[in-house]
Amino acid sequence: MSQTQLRVMLEAAGIGYWELDSQTQMVWRSVRHDTIFGYPDGHPDWTYTCFLEHVLPDDRKRVDQTYQSALALGQPWDFECRVRRADGEVRWIWGHGLALGDHDLKRGHMLGLVQDITGRKQVEEQLRTQADTLAALNRIGQALSAELELGALVQAVTDAGVELTGAQFGAFFYNTTDRNQETHTLYALSGAPREAFAGYPLPRTTAIFGPTFRGEGVIRVDDITQDARYGQNAPYHGMPAGHLPVRSYLAVPVVARTGEVLGGLFFGHGTPGIFTERAERVSLGLAAQTAVALDNARLYQQLQNSHSDLEARVEERTEQLRAQAAELQRSNQELEQFAYIASHDLQAPIRAVTSFAGLLESRYSAQLDERGQKYLTQIVSSGLHMKRLVDDLLAFSRIHTTQHSLEPTDTQAVFGEVAARLAQDESLTTPQMTFDPLPVVLADSRQFDQLLQNLMTNALKYRREGVIPSVHVSAVRDGDLWRFAVRDNGIGIAPEYFGRIFEIFQRLHGQEQYKGPASVWPSARRSSSGMVARSGWNRRSGRAPRSSLPCARREREPGERQGSGSTCTWSPGMPGRRSILPRNPFDAAERSSVCLGSALR
């Protein structure tokens, strides 16, 4: 390749070439070389020193050191630096030099190339800036998406906007809705204290602010004071006295996916021409991320408000129910006390009525005609009936007014005492009373006695004609409870009356058919309520009332006296109740129906 061809190729590539004499420091160079340094007509006296004078001071020392090292070691000289051209413009250049050795005719000389790489450097800077911007947006986007507290979110957005756009200060005006669905405009500041805006009203939809608050697009102005829209509104006609100096102005609306304008980002700088197209693009990206983050924060806040409102309503309702329960308990206690006092006090006048009626009948019945005797008999009968009702009411009210603490109770001993009393009751046909081995349970022994007597009495009273009445009491372990059942061979109860029998003074048969109190079942349920975990009725047979009582530590297991698992028939002389000395808990196989409460531990 000829020198002419080489020159043409270098010229076409925009590369200048030079030759430096290291002894004289004189440089021979091409026209392209001088043009790169701003001398299209050539430089009269270009030397290495002249070259260094064109290199910017920040790069000069590094360039000279690499030159001296390459010359001393005979190595290539490669460098990139900034130079100031003859017209004052700063450009980037790339240089390459090669020192000639002893075998060359021009020993001590260096041949080299030079090229203007300003365009490449600008592209590299743009790519680097874009990469930094994307990294910053990604970092900020992640931070915004993770932030759900509204106040912290808007402050983070404002700080990020100032950082990304190069603004001197920034503000984010945004709309928020409270629990009463009232809308308020709030703001966050960055780069300036809140006191700097404390004395000024919030921005209005003026010619400058209006497009942003309406979501019409970005406004970027190099010098807002020179804009035609500036200073058109009273009372300030521009910036009020003491306002932060704003020349460069950038405003971006924040718009939700639904089209709702959530607020606006405003950035300012005291120097004109600060905000570039890049700053505008960055602020648009930030506004888009802000809209998503604000939507999330608002949804989260609505959810929190809903939870708070629900908790407040639940707490309010709980307090109402607690107050109602307390009032109901107080009312029930007063009612129970009144029933007890009333039934007790009614006994005296009823006793007087029945007594005097009896005296009239014994002493003066002969003096009465048939109608008078009938009236007197009705008075005695009604008085006795009223006495039974009052006795039932008194027994019913005593159940809760005379409660005792739960204690280990030998239910088999209680059964023996109840059976002994029933055997002596002449109103009952000689019954057959049997039982399975019965456990020790936690119960009020007196109430359990009354419960068992009520159930067994009722079972024996409502018997079938021509059939010897029988009643059987059993107990089956059910976890921490014992299920007790009282079974009989009587007439039973139809399913439609299961609920009615537990109402006080309700009867399924007339007094003339089955004599006795009408409060057996209500009393049974009430006496068991303080110690029974569950109570109910065998809905298939209508004959097996059930209750559940808690297990207790005891001195024997069911069946230890009578043989484990055997059914026993009560007979006079069987042992009655005795004291219980608690020992270890016991386990027993399940057997049959009625249960009593939680285990004594």
Side-chain angles (χ1 to χ4, degrees):
M1 180 183 297
S2 65
Q3 290 187 356
T4 301
Q5 290 174 325
L6 180 59
R7 290 193 188 97
V8 172
M9 292 176 61
L10 292 175
E11 186 67 25
I15 299 175
Y17 59 93
W18 49 268
E19 180 178 339
L20 168 64
D21 184 345
S22 60
Q23 299 296 326
T24 64
Q25 298 294 308
M26 296 300 295
V27 181
W28 180 89
R29 66 268 178 209
S30 66
V31 175
R32 172 62 63 182
H33 171 282
D34 286 2
T35 302
I36 289 174
F37 284 91
Y39 301 99
D41 297 330
H43 190 278
D45 190 19
W46 188 266
T47 63
Y48 175 72
T49 302
C50 184
F51 160 72
L52 287 179
E53 290 174 351
H54 283 72
V55 176
L56 293 189
D58 292 343
D59 299 343
R60 188 175 299 160
K61 183 177 181 181
R62 173 179 55 82
V63 170
D64 186 48
Q65 286 178 345
T66 58
Y67 165 72
Q68 299 297 340
S69 176
L71 191 63
L73 299 175
Q75 295 177 344
W77 178 34
D78 278 295
F79 64 92
E80 290 181 356
C81 67
R82 294 164 296 171
V83 297
R84 190 177 300 278
R85 288 162 43 100
D87 57 5
E89 182 182 2
V90 175
R91 308 286 290 183
W92 275 92
I93 66 169
W94 163 80
H96 176 78
L98 181 63
L100 300 179
D102 294 339
H103 59 279
D104 294 306
L105 296 177
K106 295 182 178 181
R107 187 171 60 85
H109 284 223
M110 179 178 286
L111 302 179
L113 303 174
V114 64
Q115 183 181 24
D116 189 329
I117 58 171
T118 302
R120 191 192 81 190
K121 285 292 186 180
Q122 289 175 344
V123 171
E124 290 177 353
E125 181 63 25
Q126 290 175 358
L127 292 175
R128 185 164 43 252
T129 300
Q130 290 177 1
D132 293 343
T133 300
L134 290 175
L137 283 174
N138 183 58
R139 171 176 52 82
I140 293 170
Q142 291 178 353
L144 295 183
S145 62
E147 181 59 66
L148 295 175
E149 199 280 311
L150 188 60
L153 172 63
V154 297
Q155 187 60 57
V157 168
T158 312
D159 293 340
V162 170
E163 175 188 350
L164 292 173
T165 61
Q168 190 174 357
F169 39 81
F172 182 15
F173 293 90
Y174 61 98
N175 300 321
T176 183
T177 303
D178 61 19
R179 294 185 179 182
N180 299 322
Q181 301 303 310
E182 296 181 358
T183 301
H184 306 275
T185 299
L186 305 178
Y187 66 94
L189 298 174
S190 182
R194 182 168 287 268
E195 293 76 15
F197 292 88
Y200 308 118
L202 294 175
R204 297 170 293 162
T205 54
T206 60
I208 291 180
F209 295 127
T212 305
F213 289 130
R214 291 191 295 268
E216 295 175 359
V218 179
I219 295 181
R220 176 167 61 93
V221 181
D222 287 340
D223 190 345
I224 194 64
T225 62
Q226 303 301 315
D227 191 274
R229 294 165 291 190
Y230 178 78
Q232 300 299 315
N233 299 93
Y236 301 112
H237 296 286
M239 283 177 278
H243 193 281
L244 291 173
V246 179
R247 303 293 294 278
S248 295
Y249 176 80
L250 175 63
V252 185
V254 177
V255 184
R257 285 167 290 185
T258 59
E260 177 190 0
V261 179
L262 304 178
L265 287 166
F266 299 86
F267 303 106
H269 201 287
T271 303
I274 292 296
F275 300 125
T276 62
E277 185 179 350
R278 169 194 165 275
E280 182 176 328
R281 291 196 304 269
V282 168
S283 61
L284 280 171
L286 178 62
Q289 291 183 336
T290 301
V292 174
L294 276 178
D295 278 341
N296 293 338
R298 291 169 70 182
L299 289 174
Y300 175 76
Q301 189 62 48
Q302 291 173 3
L303 182 61
Q304 291 293 99
N305 291 342
S306 298
H307 285 174
S308 299
D309 292 342
L310 180 59
E311 289 175 356
R313 288 197 296 268
V314 169
E315 181 63 25
E316 181 181 0
R317 183 56 179 162
T318 301
E319 286 298 324
Q320 291 175 355
L321 292 176
R322 189 179 292 115
Q324 291 174 0
E327 178 61 24
L328 183 60
Q329 183 179 13
R330 184 193 62 79
S331 177
N332 286 341
Q333 290 174 347
E334 291 178 353
L335 184 59
E336 290 170 358
Q337 190 67 22
F338 172 78
Y340 178 78
I341 295 172
S343 58
H344 184 273
D345 291 348
L346 282 173
Q347 285 185 323
I350 291 174
R351 190 161 45 244
V353 170
T354 56
S355 297
F356 282 110
L359 289 174
L360 284 174
E361 184 178 24
S362 62
R363 295 183 182 181
Y364 303 105
S365 60
Q367 302 177 24
L368 298 175
D369 60 11
E370 182 180 354
R371 182 178 295 247
Q373 290 180 357
K374 182 178 179 180
Y375 289 165
L376 184 58
T377 301
Q378 184 65 38
I379 292 174
V380 173
S381 177
S382 297
L384 292 176
H385 180 59
M386 181 172 289
K387 182 178 184 304
R388 283 193 298 270
L389 292 178
V390 171
D391 288 342
D392 289 347
L393 180 60
L394 182 60
F396 186 75
S397 63
R398 276 175 178 167
I399 293 173
H400 275 190
T401 56
T402 58
Q403 285 188 352
H404 300 84
S405 60
L406 303 184
E407 59 185 4
T409 300
D410 187 341
T411 59
Q412 188 164 305
V414 174
F415 172 85
E417 295 184 1
V418 173
R421 290 197 298 271
L422 295 180
Q424 298 172 6
D425 191 340
E426 297 179 356
S427 65
L428 300 174
T429 303
T430 303
Q432 182 181 11
M433 294 175 284
T434 60
F435 62 95
D436 287 345
L438 301 177
V440 173
V441 298
L442 273 179
D444 181 338
S445 58
R446 297 170 183 81
Q447 288 192 8
F448 183 77
D449 185 295
Q450 183 177 0
L451 169 65
L452 198 57
Q453 176 155 331
N454 283 337
L455 296 177
M456 292 177 64
T457 300
N458 195 74
L460 296 174
K461 181 172 67 173
Y462 292 93
R463 63 186 182 85
R464 290 182 290 170
E465 289 296 330
V467 178
I468 297 176
S470 68
V471 61
H472 180 77
V473 178
S474 60
V476 175
R477 182 71 178 266
D478 183 10
D480 287 340
L481 303 177
W482 278 96
R483 183 184 299 116
F484 285 73
V486 179
R487 301 179 184 275
D488 64 81
N489 60 352
I491 62 175
I493 298 176
E496 58 266 27
Y497 298 120
F498 285 171
R500 181 179 171 186
I501 63 172
F502 290 106
E503 298 176 11
I504 191 168
F505 301 137
Q506 291 292 322
R507 304 181 65 94
L508 304 184
H509 306 85
Q511 181 72 24
E512 67 283 354
Q513 187 176 3
Y514 291 98
K515 296 184 181 300
S519 60
V520 170
W521 284 112
S523 296
R525 169 168 282 187
R526 190 173 179 87
S527 64
S528 66
S529 63
M531 57 184 175
V532 174
R534 299 190 298 271
S535 62
W537 189 266
N538 189 322
R539 294 184 176 271
R540 290 183 295 177
S541 66
R543 293 194 182 95
R546 297 170 296 175
S547 295
S548 301
L549 293 181
C551 307
R553 296 180 183 178
R554 42 183 301 291
E555 63 175 4
R556 63 169 174 81
E557 295 187 3
E560 285 181 357
R561 289 191 304 207
Q562 302 292 343
S564 179
S566 62
T567 297
C568 306
T569 300
W570 179 87
S571 61
M574 279 190 173
R577 191 177 315 175
R578 53 200 175 95
S579 61
I580 304 301
L581 299 177
R583 284 210 308 237
N584 297 324
F586 63 93
D587 296 317
E590 290 191 357
R591 296 181 182 84
S592 68
S593 5
V594 186
C595 300
L596 295 172
S598 63
L600 175 65
R601 292 180 170 85

